[in-house]
Structure formats: C-alpha cells, structure tokens
C-alpha cells in the first residue's frame, strides 16, 4: 500500500475524458481547456524502495547540481496538485527511475499498484540492462505487464564532446556489441527503445536505426543540448538532423533545465524551434521530467512555458504536442477500460 501520509485529496482525471476535452479545446481555443498527457515523469518513494541515487551517500554528480530536495517520496496526486488548475492534465507516462539493478520487476509491480490506487500512471517505460547476458529473460518478465510499453538503459557516454568520439569503445555504450545485441532483443519484441544520451553520441544510434528500421525510438530530453552557446546549439542541431531522417524516431521536449539557474523561456525558444524544425509536429512530445525538473522550475511554470512556446501553432498541431503524439506513441487506452 502507498503510505497514507503521502495521499492528497485529489484524484487524476480519466483518459476516457480525452476525446471530450479535445473537442472542448477545439471549440473554445482556451489554453486551460487543452488536454495534456505528460509523456515523461517519475513517481517514487525512497522510504519504501531502493533507488541508489536517491538513497545512498554521497550523492552522485548530477547535471542540475544538488538534488537533495527530490530525495523524498513523490506520488501521482502531488504531481496533479503541482500542475494547478490552469493545466488540464489527463494522463502521464512513467519513466523508470533507476531502481537498483535486479529490481526491474519489483519496480513494475510497484507502479502497477500505484496506478490501481491512484489512477496514474497510464503506462510505463521499464528498466533493463541491455548489455547483460540475460537480457532476453529481463524483457520477457517485463512484457508480462500490459503497462510496459518500452525500456530504457542509459548507455555509457563520454562526459563531453571531444576527439575520442571517433575511436571510443566504451563498454555499455551505443557502440558496445553487447549493448547492441540487447537493443536487437528490444526490437524483436516490438518495444519502444527510449534513449537518453548526450547529443554527441546520437550519431552512434544510426547503425541501430539501419539495422532495426521497424523499432520505435524516443529520444529523451531533446538530445540533452546542455549549454546554449551558439556553437553547442549548432552541433546539437546537426546531431538531431542526422537521426530525425528516420521516421520511427520521436523526441521529447523535456529535461531542458540549466544547472544553477531557473528554467527560462528565453533559454528554450531556439531549442524548441530547432526540435520542431527537425521532427515536425507529428514526432515531438511535451513532457515534464518531474520531479527532477522541479529542481529548476515549478510544474505550473513549465506547462505555461510549453504553451507560450507553441502559441504560434494551430490548435490541432498543439494537441499533437500536448497529448495526441503521446497517446499514439505509447498506445494509451483512452476508452477507460
């Protein structure tokens, strides 16, 4: 059972309301009526479950710096409450939250219980270890749950863009034969391959796309552009362009905070324009990455920023970014079954 002390007097809406809410928004054109599916968020309770990065000391190096504020329980009702009344949040997709290796099935069961008790999340991306000999067995266990739509295992990566990219052979990276074999197992089962990797490693995805053109791929956090220096944005944009030519690749506009400062609209206008130019309205999903991005912004501020960024698009196109693409990508049940 979820801790009674962590319950809030709010209940998530049902995805069965999505069609009605879409119609209402298309009629009123009012942003508060726009239905939202959060395509990438986390819930956790480190008082009950073991996440090494949330539980152990010392804390790990983290791209947002000190993350002590999120080393506490965060459950669906708090997420809904944090969104506020201005945002019609109807559903969410849970992203694996780095439980200890070997606990992937336990994570699935905990998320299933969370969904039964709270109504959220509506789907999940499970944890696997793609470079392990038992990857087939790992995937078979995860596929027993109808909530699991795909998997993530962050590949090993260099800390910065440097000349070693041309020759590196990092174990557990996108170039690693064992990791690539694991990706092939993901493709064979028709699962989504969720990829979080610094942009300078995105080119290493190309051989896997060529090998598995049927495998859906979702790039997390817009390919992690990092700083906003013009040279960085130019090279990051080039990396996105290389993978965007493959139609099965989608991308999440999420996780775009900068260490040491609040999330700012002006830091992300060009980033959004570049992502949209490469992937189009059919393959971009807005997502919160909460509670992680709670280190740099509030959920209300973030969704308002997404609305500001997309205001020049048609209502139909905005619906794709805020909900329709997530429903399609993750095969969400909008019939309330």
């Amino acid at each position: 059972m979820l801790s009674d002390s962590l319950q809030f007097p709010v209940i998530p809406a049902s995805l069965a309301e999505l069609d009605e809410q879409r119609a209402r928004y298309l009629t009123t054109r009012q942003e508060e009526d726009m239905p939202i599916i959060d395509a990438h968020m986390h819930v956790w309770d480190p008082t009950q479950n073991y996440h090494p990065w949330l539980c152990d000391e010392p804390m790990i190096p983290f791209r947002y710096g000190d993350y002590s504020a999120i080393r506490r329980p965060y459950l669906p009702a708090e997420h809904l409450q944090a969104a506020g009344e201005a945002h019609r949040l109807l559903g969410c997709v849970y992203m694996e939250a780095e439980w200890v290796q070997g606990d992937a099935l336990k994570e699935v069961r905990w998320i299933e219980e969370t969904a039964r008790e709270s109504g959220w999340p509506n789907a999940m991306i499970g944890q696997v270890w793609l470079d392990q000999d038992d990857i087939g067995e790992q995937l078979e266990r995860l596929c027993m749950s109808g909530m699991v739509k795909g998997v993530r295992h962050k590949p090993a990566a260099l800390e910065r863009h440097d000349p070693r990219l041309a020759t590196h052979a990092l174990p557990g990276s996108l170039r690693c034969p064992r990791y690539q074999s694991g990706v092939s197992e993901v493709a064979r089962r028709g699962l989504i391959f969720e990829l979080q990797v610094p942009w300078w490693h995105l080119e290493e995805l190309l051989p896997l796309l060529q090998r598995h053109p049927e495998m859906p791929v979702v790039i997390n956090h817009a390919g992690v552009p990092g700083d906003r220096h013009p040279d960085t944005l130019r090279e990051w944009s080039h990396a996105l362009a290389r993978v965007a030519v493959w139609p099965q690749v989608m991308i999440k506009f999420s996780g775009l905070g900068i260490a040491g400062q609040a999330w700012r609209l002006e830091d992300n206008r060009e980033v959004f324009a570049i992502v949209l130019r490469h992937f189009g309205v059919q393959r971009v999903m807005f997502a919160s990455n909460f509670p992680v991005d709670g280190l740099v912004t509030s959920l209300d501020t973030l969704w308002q920023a997404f609305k500001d960024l997309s205001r020049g698009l048609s209502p139909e196109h905005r619906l794709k970014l805020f909900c329709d693409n997530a429903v399609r990508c993750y095969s969400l049940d909008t019939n309330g079954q």
Side-chain angles (χ1 to χ4, degrees), residues 42-44 51 53-54 94-99 107 152:
H42 308 280
V43 291
W44 54 55
H51 308 248
W53 73 290
L54 293 174
Y94 169 84
M95 173 58 66
E96 63 89 14
E98 297 187 21
W99 289 45
E107 181 177 23
R152 183 175 77 166

Side-chain angles (χ1 to χ4, degrees), residues 116-189:
R116 283 193 299 269
E117 294 196 6
S118 71
W120 277 2
N122 307 100
M124 71 175 291
I125 299 300
Q127 178 201 67
V128 294
W129 296 81
L130 291 169
D131 56 351
Q132 299 299 301
D133 291 337
D134 68 342
I135 181 59
E137 290 82 357
Q138 291 182 57
L139 293 170
E140 289 301 322
R141 289 193 294 270
L142 292 186
C143 287
M144 293 173 63
S145 172
M147 288 193 70
V148 175
K149 307 297 182 179
V151 296
R152 183 175 77 166
H153 172 193
K154 297 175 185 175
L158 298 175
E159 291 186 2
R160 60 184 59 85
H161 186 221
D162 67 33
R164 288 182 297 161
L165 280 168
T167 57
H168 87 79
L170 290 174
S173 70
L174 284 169
R175 283 187 177 177
C176 172
R178 289 167 61 88
Y179 191 98
Q180 292 177 348
S181 178
V183 172
S184 295
E185 292 292 323
V186 172
R188 189 166 68 84
R189 289 165 174 79

Side-chain angles (χ1 to χ4, degrees), residues 9-47:
V10 290
I11 300 175
S14 168
L15 277 180
E17 299 179 24
L18 181 59
D19 288 344
E20 179 182 350
Q21 196 64 40
R22 288 182 82 264
R24 181 178 296 116
Y25 167 65
L26 290 172
T27 299
T28 68
R29 306 295 178 96
Q30 298 299 306
E31 290 183 343
E32 60 267 25
D33 289 332
M34 186 187 305
I36 297 172
I37 305 296
D38 189 343
H40 187 119
M41 55 86 69
H42 308 280
V43 291
W44 54 55
D45 184 354
T47 69

Side-chain angles (χ1 to χ4, degrees), residues 45-296:
D45 184 354
T47 69
Q48 294 190 40
N49 306 309
Y50 181 37
H51 308 248
W53 73 290
L54 293 174
C55 299
D56 292 352
E57 298 291 349
M59 293 190 295
I60 64 173
F62 196 67
R63 66 191 179 99
Y64 286 166
D66 181 4
Y67 63 95
S68 56
I70 61 173
R71 301 178 82 196
R72 63 170 186 83
Y74 187 82
L75 296 177
E78 183 175 357
H79 193 64
L80 180 62
Q81 188 176 66
E85 297 182 358
H87 309 291
R88 189 70 174 135
L89 201 55
L90 294 185
C92 59
V93 177
Y94 169 84
M95 173 58 66
E96 63 89 14
E98 297 187 21
W99 289 45
V100 69
Q101 185 173 354
D103 270 5
L105 189 58
K106 182 179 177 182
E107 181 177 23
V108 170
R109 298 295 177 243
W110 190 78
I111 290 299
E112 289 176 331
E113 180 185 11
T114 301
R116 283 193 299 269
E117 294 196 6
S118 71
W120 277 2
N122 307 100
M124 71 175 291
I125 299 300
Q127 178 201 67
V128 294
W129 296 81
L130 291 169
D131 56 351
Q132 299 299 301
D133 291 337
D134 68 342
I135 181 59
E137 290 82 357
Q138 291 182 57
L139 293 170
E140 289 301 322
R141 289 193 294 270
L142 292 186
C143 287
M144 293 173 63
S145 172
M147 288 193 70
V148 175
K149 307 297 182 179
V151 296
R152 183 175 77 166
H153 172 193
K154 297 175 185 175
L158 298 175
E159 291 186 2
R160 60 184 59 85
H161 186 221
D162 67 33
R164 288 182 297 161
L165 280 168
T167 57
H168 87 79
L170 290 174
S173 70
L174 284 169
R175 283 187 177 177
C176 172
R178 289 167 61 88
Y179 191 98
Q180 292 177 348
S181 178
V183 172
S184 295
E185 292 292 323
V186 172
R188 189 166 68 84
R189 289 165 174 79
L191 294 168
I192 298 167
F193 176 44
E194 295 263 343
L195 177 61
Q196 182 170 332
V197 69
W199 60 264
W200 49 85
H201 285 285
L202 283 177
E203 186 170 356
E204 297 164 18
L205 176 63
L206 296 176
L208 291 170
L209 294 172
Q210 293 166 353
R211 193 176 306 163
H212 306 294
E214 77 292 350
M215 180 178 67
V217 176
V218 178
I219 296 174
N220 293 182
H221 306 333
V224 196
D227 65 67
R228 303 302 191 266
H229 189 279
D231 290 343
T232 299
L233 290 182
R234 182 176 60 255
E235 294 192 61
W236 161 77
S237 174
H238 179 69
L240 290 189
R242 296 289 303 277
V243 298
V245 299
W246 294 85
Q248 77 269 33
V249 179
M250 298 185 70
I251 192 167
K252 292 174 183 172
F253 196 81
S254 61
L256 289 164
I258 300 174
Q261 66 182 58
W263 203 103
R264 301 187 308 174
L265 197 60
E266 54 266 35
D267 292 327
N268 289 293
R269 288 192 186 279
E270 184 177 3
V271 174
F272 178 67
I274 291 170
V275 167
L276 201 62
R277 182 171 74 245
H278 289 315
F279 287 88
V281 295
Q282 297 281 358
R283 294 192 288 151
V284 178
M285 297 177 280
F286 285 136
S288 74
N289 192 37
F290 257 62
V292 177
D293 273 36
L295 295 168
V296 294

